[in-house]
Amino acid sequence: MSGFEQVEILLVEDDPEDAETTLRALRDRNLASRVHWVKDGEEALDYLFCSGQYAGRSAGHPPKLVLLDIKMPKVDGIEVLRRVKGSELRAIPVVVMTSSSEERDVLESYRLGVDRYLVKPVRVEAFVDTVSSIGLSWK
């Protein structure tokens, strides 16, 4: 397809229900041509920096957007954000989508350079609308 820019989003989410809701919202509104879902911060770092199981991935095609949860196993979202924004990948927009409204998480995320911090809404419809508005911002 000429003239079509592939929009890839990296979804970093350990909760399968939240991940499926996010994937469905992006798919239903045609907000990304590809979404890659990883389930923890360690896998996200491997994907972004083309290491570990993603060592064969081309570093020349980073995602256009990272949707990042904060509370995750292995490596938390704050550490992922710290490493991304402190590297050559710093220009990739990162949106934190988390259930944590703890002030220290919000402040640290903005200090590290997050582009947007959103607390996940409880209602599924509101969550889908939030995801859609994020996708539309960076499409």
Side-chain angles (χ1 to χ4, degrees), residues 4-76:
F4 178 77
E5 181 182 1
Q6 176 129 352
V7 177
E8 181 182 359
I9 294 175
L10 178 63
L11 174 60
V12 187
E13 173 61 67
D14 64 320
D15 183 301
E17 283 184 39
D18 286 350
E20 184 52 42
T21 302
T22 303
L23 292 167
R24 188 173 48 252
L26 292 168
R27 187 173 47 246
D28 289 353
R29 291 180 173 84
N30 296 315
L31 298 175
S33 47
R34 248 185 66 192
V35 179
H36 187 83
W37 173 33
V38 297
K39 296 165 185 70
D40 61 55
E42 181 178 81
E43 190 179 354
L45 291 170
D46 283 349
Y47 184 85
L48 288 163
F49 292 99
C50 304
S51 59
Q53 67 179 327
Y54 296 102
R57 197 178 81 72
S58 169
H61 294 89
K64 298 287 183 197
L65 173 66
V66 175
L67 298 177
L68 179 66
D69 191 8
I70 292 283
K71 306 293 184 194
M72 291 184 298
K74 296 185 182 177
V75 177
D76 71 8

Side-chain angles (χ1 to χ4, degrees), residues 52-108:
Q53 67 179 327
Y54 296 102
R57 197 178 81 72
S58 169
H61 294 89
K64 298 287 183 197
L65 173 66
V66 175
L67 298 177
L68 179 66
D69 191 8
I70 292 283
K71 306 293 184 194
M72 291 184 298
K74 296 185 182 177
V75 177
D76 71 8
I78 294 290
E79 183 59 24
V80 172
L81 181 61
R82 178 179 288 111
R83 294 211 198 149
V84 169
K85 293 301 185 178
S87 76
E88 67 278 0
L89 301 176
R90 73 182 59 79
I92 298 173
V94 177
V95 175
V96 166
M97 288 181 29
T98 186
S99 55
S100 173
S101 59
E102 294 177 33
E103 185 177 6
R104 72 172 190 269
D105 288 340
V106 176
L107 293 174
E108 184 65 2

